[in-house]
Amino acid sequence: LLAGGHPSLSSGVLMETASALEPGLYIVAGPIGNLGDLTPRAAEILRLADVIAVEDTRVSARLLRAAGSDRPMLPYHDHSADHVRARLVDRMAGESVALLSDAGTPLISDPGYKLVRDARAAGRRVTTLPGPSAAIAALTLSGLPTDRFLFMGFLASKAKARGDALDEVAALRATLVFYESGPRLSESLSAMAAHLGDREAAVSREISKAFEETVTGSLSILSARYADAPPKGEIVVVVGPPGDAPPASAEDADAALREALTRLPVSKAAGEVAKKLGLDRRALYDRAMELKG
Ligand code: SAM
């Protein structure tokens, strides 16, 4: 394979010795549940790298076995001590370091950002072996607009922090992608309905595995569906953008704010109108203060 030159690796990645990779950082995407989704190019890097930085050595050992790799692993997290990262960046000067996550693409709700940042700052070669990511896979399954989307990762579990994060993006004309877990799913969907409005959504679970399933519907209907039967497995929630109504005018916003201020304190009134009209909550808060004053 190496002597003949792999078509995708021959251009600049392999050194002439044909047994080592060029020094630097290799970001390697792994499968999100189906071993068949490990790309041949990723498997080859895992077999050739001098060292593989992983989240959990037990999880990655299985993938390395499947890839036919016996390369040494080294645990790495972005919260690892600074000297662990510095040592890895030092090693990249003369060795190939692969970065692998427990699942999917490193850095996507997974460690790696600080390692890439520091590797770049030190002038190391950084390359990626692209592959599966649950966020993109779920987006493609959802049937919701894909022209503009925002990856939200995991929401906070505390209600206040979760609500604040949702309020912050409620006015964006973009599809939203969240990572979730079964036990939290119903409550999260109902918080999304409360803070974003009752939009169209899709819940995808166990993507690429035996029990893959995608269920679509409004946030409130999905929340009710999962209330008594939290689903098992790994989950992504995709929420469509706010409705296609033309943006509310300043007059509409003032009228709605005046009405809401007869019933609610300023911040609650701003929040309610922001959700109803799909406008920016902070701007409405400032305007509500003016109207009150
Ligand atoms: N780096 C990964 C990626 O690229 O998708 C994500 C890692 S994050 C720690 C793990 C979360 O991703 C899970 O809790 C779940 O929300 C989502 N996820 C991972 N694999 C999945 C799958 N096969 N089906 C649905 N969601 C999945």
Side-chain angles (χ1 to χ4, degrees):
L1 174 66
L2 296 178
H6 188 289
S8 56
L9 283 177
S10 55
S11 53
V13 176
L14 286 175
M15 290 173 75
E16 281 173 0
T17 54
S19 63
L21 297 169
E22 270 188 36
L25 176 61
Y26 294 75
I27 303 161
V28 180
I32 54 168
N34 190 324
L35 275 179
D37 293 337
L38 180 71
T39 70
R41 207 159 78 87
E44 185 158 33
I45 297 296
L46 295 178
R47 286 192 293 271
L48 293 174
D50 290 309
V51 63
I52 304 175
V54 301
E55 285 182 83
D56 182 325
T57 50
R58 278 165 313 175
V59 174
S60 288
R62 280 198 293 274
L63 183 66
L64 294 194
R65 255 197 313 278
S69 166
D70 60 359
R71 307 311 299 146
M73 288 182 276
L74 199 122
Y76 174 77
H77 291 270
D78 280 338
H79 52 78
S80 296
D82 285 349
H83 69 85
V84 174
R85 187 161 55 250
R87 173 86 190 101
L88 273 172
V89 172
D90 280 349
R91 288 184 69 169
M92 288 169 205
E95 292 180 285
S96 50
V97 176
L99 173 68
L100 183 66
S101 283
D102 285 356
T105 300
L107 285 87
I108 306 302
S109 284
D110 267 342
Y113 145 69
K114 291 182 180 172
L115 191 62
V116 174
R117 179 195 64 188
D118 291 3
R120 288 207 173 282
R124 304 290 182 250
R125 180 176 188 280
V126 179
T127 190
T128 187
L129 286 294
S133 186
I136 298 295
L139 186 65
T140 62
L141 287 168
S142 69
L144 294 164
T146 54
D147 55 333
R148 256 183 168 214
F149 60 90
L150 177 64
F151 176 59
M152 296 285 290
F154 290 97
L155 282 171
S157 41
K158 297 233 166 71
K160 167 84 170 76
R162 180 177 60 198
D164 288 349
L166 292 168
D167 288 342
E168 207 177 1
V169 299
L172 285 183
R173 303 220 156 255
T175 293
L176 306 173
V177 183
F178 300 89
Y179 283 166
E180 252 313 330
S181 74
R184 298 190 340 169
L185 178 63
S186 174
E187 198 184 313
S188 290
L189 290 167
S190 107
M192 289 174 196
H195 290 267
L196 302 174
D198 197 10
R199 303 186 192 175
E200 286 304 301
V203 173
S204 285
R205 67 184 193 91
E206 297 290 87
I207 298 167
S208 77
K209 305 188 205 178
F211 298 103
E212 173 178 324
E213 173 188 68
T214 294
V215 180
T216 60
S218 70
L219 284 166
S220 59
I221 286 176
L222 289 170
S223 171
R225 174 191 169 118
Y226 292 113
D228 298 325
K232 292 206 166 60
E234 300 194 280
I235 293 162
V236 184
V237 177
V238 183
V239 181
D244 288 334
S249 66
E251 291 74 28
D252 291 343
D254 278 2
L257 273 178
R258 283 204 176 87
E259 188 284 320
L261 284 168
T262 62
R263 299 177 281 110
L264 298 167
V266 172
S267 75
K268 286 225 161 77
E272 183 184 282
V273 175
K275 201 169 21 164
K276 201 162 94 189
L277 300 183
L279 296 174
D280 181 67
R281 187 171 186 269
R282 281 196 199 117
L284 286 170
Y285 180 88
D286 293 344
R287 179 65 183 148
M289 291 299 281
E290 281 172 26
L291 290 174
K292 266 205 113 179

